[in-house]
Amino acid sequence: MEKIALLSNVNIEPIIQDINKKYVVFKSVGYGNVFEEMMNISSNLYEFKPEVIYIIIDIKELCIYCESVEQIHSEISNWFSLLRKCIKTHIVYFISDVDFRSYDIEIGHNGLDTLDIEHIWKKELKDIIRDFTNVYLFAYKKQIEKVGKDNFYTDKLWYLGRIIHTSIAKYALIKGIEDSLQTLKGTPKKVLILDLDNTIWGGVIGEGDYNDIELSDEKIGLIYKDLQRIIKKIKDTGVLLAIVSKNNYEDAISVMRTNQHMILREDDFIVKKINWVQKDINILEISKEINLGLDSFVFFDDNPAEQELVRISLPDVTVPEFPNKIELLPKAMEEIYNKYFKKLVFTNEDKERSLQYLANSKRLELQKEAVDFASYLKGLHIAVNPVDPSLNKQRLFQLINKTNQFNLTTQRYTMIEVEEIIQDSDKRVYMFEISDRFGNNGITAVVFVNLLNEVYIDTFILSCRVMGKFIENYIIDFVENDLLKAGYKILFSKYIRTSKNKPVEDFYDRLGYEIIEETEEYKLYCINLETRINREYYVEKELI
């Protein structure tokens, strides 16, 4: 059970009392100055040892004595300066954005309105999130938008006990805290598989003109158009889209190409299984084609029979319920995103993911044309570049906690632990960016080596989208050569069996490592770096 602390400059005791039923929550004495506990390393807060600290600020109370723009700037700037001094690397922080409880206000002679004040806070918050990898936004304002301002604040409780939140607001904020903790701890899904008829548009194609489906700027058609807008936004966060639909391929593609109201076009989908094959079989084929596990898939279909088929045949695939009212479709998709795909931080790799998988189809075409596999790999012009882990912490954290197949030990680390590993002089962290003639696959490989006492590989990860091209052989050679140059001659490694990393169970065996211990759960290896065997790989020295 997570240990969390909730701090605020107003009374949030009702929230603490309720959320205490699910989490171990720090009990602060009083409220008002959040830094009273945070700046004292001997305080009850640090004795409690929270894993996560939430700071919820009422901006009106913070700036209550400010009478000018300059004073507000100074007050907010000083607050964030103090916060920066308090941040500990082993704690995760969620800092709220702010909402001014008064609707209209002018301060002094400068006519500063509430939106200006909120913007000043937002800029400072954005800067601190950029500068600290363990600081995140707590979407306070989003909770207000959900329930409405009149339902969120209470004047009566404010004057009675400095409580600004209604019971409705309390439950909304608790839900927000629970969702953020789930996002922090969870592993997001990667692929959203969609049906077509009566799912992303209304009606059935093939029963009339391609433009007769329900998709427009009004009434039922607008529901489906709004749904597509949300799916498009989900795709832009790095989620991969695929189609599994029982239709004639030409009919479905014609809708995507010719219907003026389509938001989603054929290039938005990395795989399109539009045929009359059973949907569970199509989903299995997608898994093999893009080399991702079924547990990374979410399947969205309006047909209860198809939903049940996939649930029974492919239990690892997540199949959410389809809403029973059509007007709930856009909201249902937002909930699917928040529950299964949401991430706290987005990397460059997230933004480019669909393009990277689409480039894979070009690689498959080249493979079909090549006379043999070696010729295919040579034709790819593969390039592997080392990158600085300290500049790519978020991507490092993602790879460690998302990769399952090519993951020799499946060690998981928090962001704070990742930062400590990078800074630890007794460890070496290697990261690699991989590209070829068809595009950049991004940062897709990580190796951790522990140098204290015995030198051993703690973590070796390769993204599934670049597996099977002998790139791992080049990477292990790179790491071994680097260690040998540093004077290390013996290297140990380990393979820990899981249900998902069977494809790499003989990885070290193939590379000439000697087994020194083996059980049902793991294998321990050792190699002399001065007497290694030559390994096969097809890597060029410079990026394309």
Side-chain angles (χ1 to χ4, degrees):
M1 186 178 285
E2 288 91 353
K3 296 178 73 174
I4 66 173
L6 274 61
L7 306 177
S8 180
N9 63 335
V10 293
N11 190 348
I12 57 171
E13 185 60 27
I15 298 173
I16 293 173
Q17 287 178 356
D18 267 39
I19 205 166
N20 193 43
K21 298 169 185 175
K22 283 193 174 182
Y23 305 97
V24 180
V25 185
F26 171 67
K27 303 290 196 305
S28 60
V29 179
Y31 55 88
N33 184 359
V34 300
F35 299 117
E36 190 171 336
E37 294 274 3
M38 290 181 68
M39 297 195 75
N40 179 6
I41 60 172
S42 301
S43 69
N44 293 332
L45 175 67
Y46 295 117
E47 187 177 332
F48 173 76
K49 297 180 180 178
E51 299 170 69
V52 184
I53 294 177
Y54 288 84
I55 301 177
I56 298 172
I57 293 299
D58 178 61
I59 193 67
K60 182 179 178 182
E61 183 66 10
L62 184 70
C63 300
I64 192 70
Y65 297 112
C66 297
E67 296 182 354
S68 68
V69 179
E70 291 76 20
Q71 287 180 11
I72 288 172
H73 266 290
S74 177
E75 185 70 35
I76 293 174
S77 179
N78 289 340
W79 191 94
F80 276 96
S81 294
L82 286 174
L83 178 61
R84 287 172 179 271
K85 294 176 182 177
C86 295
I87 290 174
K88 312 296 181 189
T89 58
H90 64 283
I91 299 173
V92 173
Y93 299 82
F94 283 92
I95 315 299
S96 73
D97 51 6
V98 293
D99 175 75
F100 211 102
R101 282 183 282 133
S102 296
Y103 288 95
D104 299 297
I105 186 170
E106 288 189 358
I107 296 180
H109 302 290
N110 295 283
L112 187 71
D113 65 25
T114 59
L115 291 178
D116 292 325
I117 298 171
E118 292 168 15
H119 180 74
I120 295 168
W121 181 274
K122 184 177 180 179
K123 183 181 181 304
E124 291 279 358
L125 180 56
K126 185 177 180 180
D127 289 345
I128 201 169
I129 289 172
R130 179 199 62 209
D131 295 341
F132 292 87
T133 54
N134 58 326
V135 177
Y136 301 102
L137 164 71
F138 178 67
Y140 182 78
K141 205 167 174 61
K142 185 176 181 181
Q143 309 307 322
I144 300 171
E145 291 169 358
K146 285 181 180 178
V147 303
K149 207 158 186 171
D150 289 337
N151 294 320
F152 199 84
Y153 295 120
T154 166
D155 291 331
K156 181 178 180 180
L157 293 179
W158 168 247
Y159 291 115
L160 288 175
R162 289 298 187 260
I163 297 170
I164 64 172
H165 301 117
T166 64
S167 59
I168 294 173
K170 176 181 71 173
Y171 293 121
L173 290 170
I174 289 173
K175 179 68 163 54
I177 291 168
E178 291 173 347
D179 288 348
S180 62
L181 285 171
Q182 179 181 331
T183 303
L184 180 67
K185 302 291 182 181
T187 301
K189 306 290 186 182
K190 299 177 182 179
V191 185
L192 175 59
I193 301 176
L194 298 161
D195 178 38
L196 297 176
D197 292 336
N198 290 313
T199 299
I200 69 169
W201 59 59
V204 178
I205 57 173
E207 295 182 354
D209 186 83
Y210 299 142
N211 293 309
D212 285 344
I213 59 171
E214 295 279 7
L215 191 65
S216 64
D217 288 322
E218 56 186 26
K219 299 181 180 178
I220 293 176
L222 181 57
I223 295 173
Y224 287 103
K225 196 167 184 177
D226 282 346
L227 172 66
Q228 289 197 23
R229 288 189 176 105
I230 293 167
I231 295 171
K232 183 82 168 182
K233 288 180 181 178
I234 291 173
K235 180 230 174 191
D236 291 342
T237 68
V239 175
L240 302 173
L241 302 183
I243 296 171
V244 171
S245 178
K246 288 183 177 178
N247 266 307
N248 291 322
Y249 184 87
E250 293 77 13
D251 292 345
I253 293 299
S254 293
V255 172
M256 292 184 186
R257 291 175 180 172
T258 64
N259 190 296
Q260 63 175 330
H261 293 288
M262 280 293 298
I263 303 296
L264 298 169
R265 298 294 179 177
E266 57 184 307
D267 286 346
D268 288 314
F269 299 92
I270 59 163
V271 183
K272 297 176 280 291
K273 296 290 184 183
I274 305 171
N275 52 42
W276 300 99
V277 178
Q278 278 187 199
K279 293 194 175 183
D280 56 334
I281 295 173
N282 276 328
I283 292 172
L284 270 174
E285 286 187 3
I286 292 175
S287 176
K288 293 173 184 175
E289 287 177 20
I290 65 176
N291 203 20
L292 287 176
L294 292 169
D295 61 346
S296 62
F297 290 5
V298 175
F299 175 59
F300 191 62
D301 192 303
D302 70 300
N303 190 325
E306 301 288 8
Q307 295 171 26
E308 195 63 18
L309 171 68
V310 174
R311 286 192 187 104
I312 293 171
S313 302
L314 307 173
D316 287 341
V317 176
T318 298
V319 185
E321 292 289 341
F322 198 84
N324 55 12
K325 294 181 179 179
I326 192 172
E327 64 269 22
L328 298 177
L329 263 174
K331 184 177 180 181
M333 187 52 65
E334 287 180 349
E335 290 173 352
I336 286 170
Y337 169 75
N338 287 326
K339 187 171 183 179
Y340 301 114
F341 296 106
K342 189 176 180 180
K343 288 174 283 196
L344 293 172
V345 177
F346 301 106
T347 65
N348 290 331
E349 280 71 20
D350 293 324
K351 297 172 185 175
E352 301 296 326
R353 186 161 289 121
S354 283
L355 291 175
Q356 290 165 352
Y357 276 89
L358 286 170
N360 215 41
S361 62
K362 298 177 182 177
R363 297 183 183 102
L364 291 173
E365 289 174 13
L366 176 66
Q367 186 175 358
K368 291 175 184 176
E369 296 170 1
V371 295
D372 55 33
F373 193 59
S375 300
Y376 160 64
L377 294 178
K378 289 176 184 176
L380 281 175
H381 304 299
I382 299 169
V384 179
N385 238 27
V387 297
D388 187 346
S390 65
L391 301 178
N392 297 280
K393 297 173 187 175
Q394 291 292 347
R395 179 57 180 161
L396 181 57
F397 175 73
Q398 275 189 346
L399 282 169
I400 290 168
N401 291 289
K402 287 171 58 179
T403 309
N404 292 308
Q405 291 187 56
F406 198 112
N407 192 333
L408 276 300
T409 54
T410 319
Q411 298 270 43
R412 306 299 193 193
Y413 294 100
T414 65
M415 174 55 78
I416 293 164
E417 289 170 333
V418 166
E419 290 196 328
E420 291 172 349
I421 289 169
I422 291 172
Q423 296 168 7
D424 191 341
S425 60
D426 290 324
K427 291 182 172 60
R428 289 199 180 189
V429 180
Y430 303 87
M431 292 185 75
F432 301 90
E433 184 178 51
I434 298 166
S435 69
D436 61 29
R437 61 183 281 191
F438 295 112
N440 193 337
N441 283 292
I443 298 171
T444 41
V446 172
V447 180
F448 288 175
V449 178
N450 194 313
L451 304 176
L452 190 63
N453 300 323
E454 294 178 337
V455 180
Y456 67 92
I457 297 174
D458 171 88
T459 297
F460 193 155
I461 291 169
L462 188 72
S463 173
C464 52
R465 68 175 178 263
V466 294
M467 283 174 61
K469 300 183 179 75
F470 299 114
I471 293 168
E472 58 271 23
N473 293 9
Y474 175 84
I475 289 171
I476 198 73
D477 264 19
F478 183 99
V479 171
E480 290 173 349
N481 288 333
D482 187 58
L483 294 172
L484 189 59
K485 288 177 185 175
Y488 302 105
K489 297 180 180 179
I490 303 298
L491 177 62
F492 294 88
S493 58
K494 191 175 188 177
Y495 166 71
I496 300 176
R497 290 184 178 88
T498 71
S499 60
K500 296 175 183 175
N501 70 358
K502 189 173 176 59
V504 294
E505 65 178 344
D506 63 344
F507 173 68
Y508 287 119
D509 304 80
R510 290 188 287 103
L511 296 178
Y513 280 66
E514 178 186 350
I515 297 176
I516 57 177
E517 184 180 342
E518 183 172 8
T519 70
E520 291 184 359
E521 288 79 30
Y522 64 85
K523 291 192 283 186
L524 295 179
Y525 295 89
C526 178
I527 195 169
N528 187 323
L529 297 181
E530 294 181 307
T531 59
R532 292 169 291 158
I533 63 172
N534 291 325
R535 284 84 177 247
E536 179 184 14
Y537 52 77
Y538 302 85
V539 172
E540 299 185 0
K541 296 300 180 184
E542 295 181 359
L543 277 173
I544 303 301

PDB file of all heavy atoms in Angstrom, residues 297-318:
ATOM      1  N   PHE A 297      -2.635  -4.995 -25.790  1.00  0.00           N
ATOM      2  CA  PHE A 297      -3.727  -4.658 -26.710  1.00  0.00           C
ATOM      3  C   PHE A 297      -5.020  -4.321 -25.960  1.00  0.00           C
ATOM      4  O   PHE A 297      -5.359  -4.953 -24.966  1.00  0.00           O
ATOM      5  CB  PHE A 297      -4.034  -5.835 -27.643  1.00  0.00           C
ATOM      6  CG  PHE A 297      -2.970  -6.130 -28.671  1.00  0.00           C
ATOM      7  CD1 PHE A 297      -1.769  -5.457 -28.683  1.00  0.00           C
ATOM      8  CD2 PHE A 297      -3.177  -7.098 -29.633  1.00  0.00           C
ATOM      9  CE1 PHE A 297      -0.789  -5.727 -29.614  1.00  0.00           C
ATOM     10  CE2 PHE A 297      -2.207  -7.389 -30.585  1.00  0.00           C
ATOM     11  CZ  PHE A 297      -1.009  -6.696 -30.570  1.00  0.00           C
ATOM     12  N   VAL A 298      -5.751  -3.338 -26.503  1.00  0.00           N
ATOM     13  CA  VAL A 298      -7.122  -3.040 -26.076  1.00  0.00           C
ATOM     14  C   VAL A 298      -8.000  -3.141 -27.327  1.00  0.00           C
ATOM     15  O   VAL A 298      -7.700  -2.522 -28.354  1.00  0.00           O
ATOM     16  CB  VAL A 298      -7.241  -1.638 -25.459  1.00  0.00           C
ATOM     17  CG1 VAL A 298      -8.701  -1.308 -25.149  1.00  0.00           C
ATOM     18  CG2 VAL A 298      -6.405  -1.540 -24.182  1.00  0.00           C
ATOM     19  N   PHE A 299      -9.080  -3.926 -27.231  1.00  0.00           N
ATOM     20  CA  PHE A 299      -9.954  -4.195 -28.379  1.00  0.00           C
ATOM     21  C   PHE A 299     -11.306  -3.539 -28.146  1.00  0.00           C
ATOM     22  O   PHE A 299     -11.992  -3.807 -27.150  1.00  0.00           O
ATOM     23  CB  PHE A 299     -10.113  -5.706 -28.546  1.00  0.00           C
ATOM     24  CG  PHE A 299     -11.090  -6.121 -29.614  1.00  0.00           C
ATOM     25  CD1 PHE A 299     -10.918  -5.740 -30.929  1.00  0.00           C
ATOM     26  CD2 PHE A 299     -12.190  -6.918 -29.291  1.00  0.00           C
ATOM     27  CE1 PHE A 299     -11.824  -6.132 -31.915  1.00  0.00           C
ATOM     28  CE2 PHE A 299     -13.094  -7.317 -30.259  1.00  0.00           C
ATOM     29  CZ  PHE A 299     -12.907  -6.923 -31.579  1.00  0.00           C
ATOM     30  N   PHE A 300     -11.733  -2.651 -29.082  1.00  0.00           N
ATOM     31  CA  PHE A 300     -12.980  -1.884 -28.928  1.00  0.00           C
ATOM     32  C   PHE A 300     -13.917  -2.223 -30.085  1.00  0.00           C
ATOM     33  O   PHE A 300     -13.634  -1.927 -31.246  1.00  0.00           O
ATOM     34  CB  PHE A 300     -12.657  -0.396 -28.921  1.00  0.00           C
ATOM     35  CG  PHE A 300     -13.806   0.479 -28.502  1.00  0.00           C
ATOM     36  CD1 PHE A 300     -14.362   0.381 -27.234  1.00  0.00           C
ATOM     37  CD2 PHE A 300     -14.328   1.427 -29.368  1.00  0.00           C
ATOM     38  CE1 PHE A 300     -15.418   1.195 -26.837  1.00  0.00           C
ATOM     39  CE2 PHE A 300     -15.377   2.254 -28.989  1.00  0.00           C
ATOM     40  CZ  PHE A 300     -15.920   2.130 -27.716  1.00  0.00           C
ATOM     41  N   ASP A 301     -15.043  -2.862 -29.752  1.00  0.00           N
ATOM     42  CA  ASP A 301     -15.975  -3.377 -30.770  1.00  0.00           C
ATOM     43  C   ASP A 301     -17.391  -3.252 -30.220  1.00  0.00           C
ATOM     44  O   ASP A 301     -17.636  -3.506 -29.040  1.00  0.00           O
ATOM     45  CB  ASP A 301     -15.632  -4.838 -31.073  1.00  0.00           C
ATOM     46  CG  ASP A 301     -16.332  -5.375 -32.313  1.00  0.00           C
ATOM     47  OD1 ASP A 301     -17.574  -5.326 -32.356  1.00  0.00           O
ATOM     48  OD2 ASP A 301     -15.646  -5.858 -33.226  1.00  0.00           O
ATOM     49  N   ASP A 302     -18.341  -2.900 -31.097  1.00  0.00           N
ATOM     50  CA  ASP A 302     -19.729  -2.724 -30.637  1.00  0.00           C
ATOM     51  C   ASP A 302     -20.482  -4.037 -30.474  1.00  0.00           C
ATOM     52  O   ASP A 302     -21.526  -4.081 -29.825  1.00  0.00           O
ATOM     53  CB  ASP A 302     -20.490  -1.848 -31.635  1.00  0.00           C
ATOM     54  CG  ASP A 302     -20.725  -2.572 -32.957  1.00  0.00           C
ATOM     55  OD1 ASP A 302     -19.738  -2.962 -33.622  1.00  0.00           O
ATOM     56  OD2 ASP A 302     -21.901  -2.768 -33.332  1.00  0.00           O
ATOM     57  N   ASN A 303     -19.954  -5.133 -31.042  1.00  0.00           N
ATOM     58  CA  ASN A 303     -20.679  -6.409 -31.059  1.00  0.00           C
ATOM     59  C   ASN A 303     -20.364  -7.241 -29.819  1.00  0.00           C
ATOM     60  O   ASN A 303     -19.217  -7.673 -29.632  1.00  0.00           O
ATOM     61  CB  ASN A 303     -20.294  -7.187 -32.325  1.00  0.00           C
ATOM     62  CG  ASN A 303     -21.165  -8.407 -32.540  1.00  0.00           C
ATOM     63  OD1 ASN A 303     -21.586  -9.063 -31.588  1.00  0.00           O
ATOM     64  ND2 ASN A 303     -21.438  -8.723 -33.799  1.00  0.00           N
ATOM     65  N   PRO A 304     -21.350  -7.506 -28.956  1.00  0.00           N
ATOM     66  CA  PRO A 304     -21.097  -8.291 -27.736  1.00  0.00           C
ATOM     67  C   PRO A 304     -20.542  -9.685 -28.022  1.00  0.00           C
ATOM     68  O   PRO A 304     -19.729 -10.205 -27.249  1.00  0.00           O
ATOM     69  CB  PRO A 304     -22.487  -8.375 -27.076  1.00  0.00           C
ATOM     70  CG  PRO A 304     -23.244  -7.212 -27.624  1.00  0.00           C
ATOM     71  CD  PRO A 304     -22.752  -7.030 -29.023  1.00  0.00           C
ATOM     72  N   ALA A 305     -20.956 -10.297 -29.129  1.00  0.00           N
ATOM     73  CA  ALA A 305     -20.462 -11.634 -29.472  1.00  0.00           C
ATOM     74  C   ALA A 305     -18.970 -11.594 -29.792  1.00  0.00           C
ATOM     75  O   ALA A 305     -18.206 -12.484 -29.381  1.00  0.00           O
ATOM     76  CB  ALA A 305     -21.243 -12.191 -30.660  1.00  0.00           C
ATOM     77  N   GLU A 306     -18.528 -10.557 -30.516  1.00  0.00           N
ATOM     78  CA  GLU A 306     -17.103 -10.411 -30.838  1.00  0.00           C
ATOM     79  C   GLU A 306     -16.303 -10.099 -29.572  1.00  0.00           C
ATOM     80  O   GLU A 306     -15.184 -10.595 -29.389  1.00  0.00           O
ATOM     81  CB  GLU A 306     -16.896  -9.312 -31.876  1.00  0.00           C
ATOM     82  CG  GLU A 306     -17.615  -9.528 -33.197  1.00  0.00           C
ATOM     83  CD  GLU A 306     -16.993 -10.644 -34.044  1.00  0.00           C
ATOM     84  OE1 GLU A 306     -16.096 -11.363 -33.561  1.00  0.00           O
ATOM     85  OE2 GLU A 306     -17.421 -10.801 -35.205  1.00  0.00           O
ATOM     86  N   GLN A 307     -16.868  -9.288 -28.707  1.00  0.00           N
ATOM     87  CA  GLN A 307     -16.202  -8.979 -27.440  1.00  0.00           C
ATOM     88  C   GLN A 307     -15.962 -10.263 -26.642  1.00  0.00           C
ATOM     89  O   GLN A 307     -14.853 -10.503 -26.132  1.00  0.00           O
ATOM     90  CB  GLN A 307     -17.065  -8.021 -26.608  1.00  0.00           C
ATOM     91  CG  GLN A 307     -17.267  -6.651 -27.210  1.00  0.00           C
ATOM     92  CD  GLN A 307     -18.313  -5.856 -26.436  1.00  0.00           C
ATOM     93  OE1 GLN A 307     -18.532  -6.082 -25.246  1.00  0.00           O
ATOM     94  NE2 GLN A 307     -18.974  -4.928 -27.116  1.00  0.00           N
ATOM     95  N   GLU A 308     -16.996 -11.083 -26.541  1.00  0.00           N
ATOM     96  CA  GLU A 308     -16.900 -12.310 -25.753  1.00  0.00           C
ATOM     97  C   GLU A 308     -15.924 -13.301 -26.377  1.00  0.00           C
ATOM     98  O   GLU A 308     -15.176 -13.991 -25.668  1.00  0.00           O
ATOM     99  CB  GLU A 308     -18.285 -12.941 -25.593  1.00  0.00           C
ATOM    100  CG  GLU A 308     -18.376 -13.998 -24.507  1.00  0.00           C
ATOM    101  CD  GLU A 308     -18.093 -13.450 -23.120  1.00  0.00           C
ATOM    102  OE1 GLU A 308     -18.148 -12.208 -22.920  1.00  0.00           O
ATOM    103  OE2 GLU A 308     -17.794 -14.261 -22.223  1.00  0.00           O
ATOM    104  N   LEU A 309     -15.927 -13.386 -27.711  1.00  0.00           N
ATOM    105  CA  LEU A 309     -14.991 -14.275 -28.405  1.00  0.00           C
ATOM    106  C   LEU A 309     -13.553 -13.927 -28.042  1.00  0.00           C
ATOM    107  O   LEU A 309     -12.741 -14.808 -27.716  1.00  0.00           O
ATOM    108  CB  LEU A 309     -15.187 -14.147 -29.918  1.00  0.00           C
ATOM    109  CG  LEU A 309     -14.129 -14.845 -30.792  1.00  0.00           C
ATOM    110  CD1 LEU A 309     -14.221 -16.358 -30.652  1.00  0.00           C
ATOM    111  CD2 LEU A 309     -14.262 -14.420 -32.250  1.00  0.00           C
ATOM    112  N   VAL A 310     -13.223 -12.645 -28.083  1.00  0.00           N
ATOM    113  CA  VAL A 310     -11.846 -12.223 -27.797  1.00  0.00           C
ATOM    114  C   VAL A 310     -11.524 -12.409 -26.314  1.00  0.00           C
ATOM    115  O   VAL A 310     -10.415 -12.850 -25.963  1.00  0.00           O
ATOM    116  CB  VAL A 310     -11.638 -10.760 -28.238  1.00  0.00           C
ATOM    117  CG1 VAL A 310     -10.258 -10.257 -27.808  1.00  0.00           C
ATOM    118  CG2 VAL A 310     -11.790 -10.643 -29.755  1.00  0.00           C
ATOM    119  N   ARG A 311     -12.487 -12.119 -25.450  1.00  0.00           N
ATOM    120  CA  ARG A 311     -12.240 -12.318 -24.015  1.00  0.00           C
ATOM    121  C   ARG A 311     -11.913 -13.777 -23.686  1.00  0.00           C
ATOM    122  O   ARG A 311     -11.028 -14.058 -22.874  1.00  0.00           O
ATOM    123  CB  ARG A 311     -13.463 -11.885 -23.207  1.00  0.00           C
ATOM    124  CG  ARG A 311     -13.669 -10.385 -23.104  1.00  0.00           C
ATOM    125  CD  ARG A 311     -14.713 -10.047 -22.056  1.00  0.00           C
ATOM    126  NE  ARG A 311     -15.034  -8.621 -22.060  1.00  0.00           N
ATOM    127  CZ  ARG A 311     -16.134  -8.089 -22.560  1.00  0.00           C
ATOM    128  NH1 ARG A 311     -17.058  -8.889 -23.095  1.00  0.00           N
ATOM    129  NH2 ARG A 311     -16.333  -6.791 -22.522  1.00  0.00           N
ATOM    130  N   ILE A 312     -12.626 -14.699 -24.328  1.00  0.00           N
ATOM    131  CA  ILE A 312     -12.434 -16.123 -24.047  1.00  0.00           C
ATOM    132  C   ILE A 312     -11.193 -16.669 -24.749  1.00  0.00           C
ATOM    133  O   ILE A 312     -10.374 -17.369 -24.145  1.00  0.00           O
ATOM    134  CB  ILE A 312     -13.681 -16.929 -24.478  1.00  0.00           C
ATOM    135  CG1 ILE A 312     -14.881 -16.549 -23.589  1.00  0.00           C
ATOM    136  CG2 ILE A 312     -13.424 -18.428 -24.387  1.00  0.00           C
ATOM    137  CD1 ILE A 312     -16.200 -17.117 -24.061  1.00  0.00           C
ATOM    138  N   SER A 313     -11.033 -16.326 -26.034  1.00  0.00           N
ATOM    139  CA  SER A 313      -9.924 -16.872 -26.824  1.00  0.00           C
ATOM    140  C   SER A 313      -8.586 -16.230 -26.482  1.00  0.00           C
ATOM    141  O   SER A 313      -7.548 -16.896 -26.489  1.00  0.00           O
ATOM    142  CB  SER A 313     -10.196 -16.684 -28.319  1.00  0.00           C
ATOM    143  OG  SER A 313     -11.392 -17.311 -28.688  1.00  0.00           O
ATOM    144  N   LEU A 314      -8.613 -14.932 -26.170  1.00  0.00           N
ATOM    145  CA  LEU A 314      -7.372 -14.187 -25.909  1.00  0.00           C
ATOM    146  C   LEU A 314      -7.516 -13.419 -24.593  1.00  0.00           C
ATOM    147  O   LEU A 314      -7.709 -12.203 -24.576  1.00  0.00           O
ATOM    148  CB  LEU A 314      -7.095 -13.210 -27.061  1.00  0.00           C
ATOM    149  CG  LEU A 314      -7.071 -13.797 -28.482  1.00  0.00           C
ATOM    150  CD1 LEU A 314      -6.954 -12.681 -29.512  1.00  0.00           C
ATOM    151  CD2 LEU A 314      -5.933 -14.794 -28.630  1.00  0.00           C
ATOM    152  N   PRO A 315      -7.441 -14.114 -23.469  1.00  0.00           N
ATOM    153  CA  PRO A 315      -7.696 -13.468 -22.173  1.00  0.00           C
ATOM    154  C   PRO A 315      -6.719 -12.352 -21.820  1.00  0.00           C
ATOM    155  O   PRO A 315      -7.022 -11.514 -20.964  1.00  0.00           O
ATOM    156  CB  PRO A 315      -7.600 -14.630 -21.178  1.00  0.00           C
ATOM    157  CG  PRO A 315      -6.841 -15.703 -21.887  1.00  0.00           C
ATOM    158  CD  PRO A 315      -7.165 -15.553 -23.336  1.00  0.00           C
ATOM    159  N   ASP A 316      -5.552 -12.317 -22.465  1.00  0.00           N
ATOM    160  CA  ASP A 316      -4.598 -11.251 -22.176  1.00  0.00           C
ATOM    161  C   ASP A 316      -4.996  -9.922 -22.812  1.00  0.00           C
ATOM    162  O   ASP A 316      -4.513  -8.863 -22.398  1.00  0.00           O
ATOM    163  CB  ASP A 316      -3.200 -11.637 -22.676  1.00  0.00           C
ATOM    164  CG  ASP A 316      -2.543 -12.699 -21.807  1.00  0.00           C
ATOM    165  OD1 ASP A 316      -2.994 -12.862 -20.662  1.00  0.00           O
ATOM    166  OD2 ASP A 316      -1.612 -13.362 -22.276  1.00  0.00           O
ATOM    167  N   VAL A 317      -5.863  -9.971 -23.821  1.00  0.00           N
ATOM    168  CA  VAL A 317      -6.327  -8.743 -24.478  1.00  0.00           C
ATOM    169  C   VAL A 317      -7.395  -8.079 -23.614  1.00  0.00           C
ATOM    170  O   VAL A 317      -8.318  -8.737 -23.132  1.00  0.00           O
ATOM    171  CB  VAL A 317      -6.888  -9.042 -25.882  1.00  0.00           C
ATOM    172  CG1 VAL A 317      -7.460  -7.779 -26.516  1.00  0.00           C
ATOM    173  CG2 VAL A 317      -5.811  -9.648 -26.779  1.00  0.00           C
ATOM    174  N   THR A 318      -7.280  -6.791 -23.413  1.00  0.00           N
ATOM    175  CA  THR A 318      -8.284  -6.037 -22.652  1.00  0.00           C
ATOM    176  C   THR A 318      -9.449  -5.680 -23.569  1.00  0.00           C
ATOM    177  O   THR A 318      -9.250  -5.110 -24.648  1.00  0.00           O
ATOM    178  CB  THR A 318      -7.671  -4.756 -22.071  1.00  0.00           C
ATOM    179  OG1 THR A 318      -6.630  -5.112 -21.159  1.00  0.00           O
ATOM    180  CG2 THR A 318      -8.720  -3.925 -21.343  1.00  0.00           C
TER     181      THR A 318
END
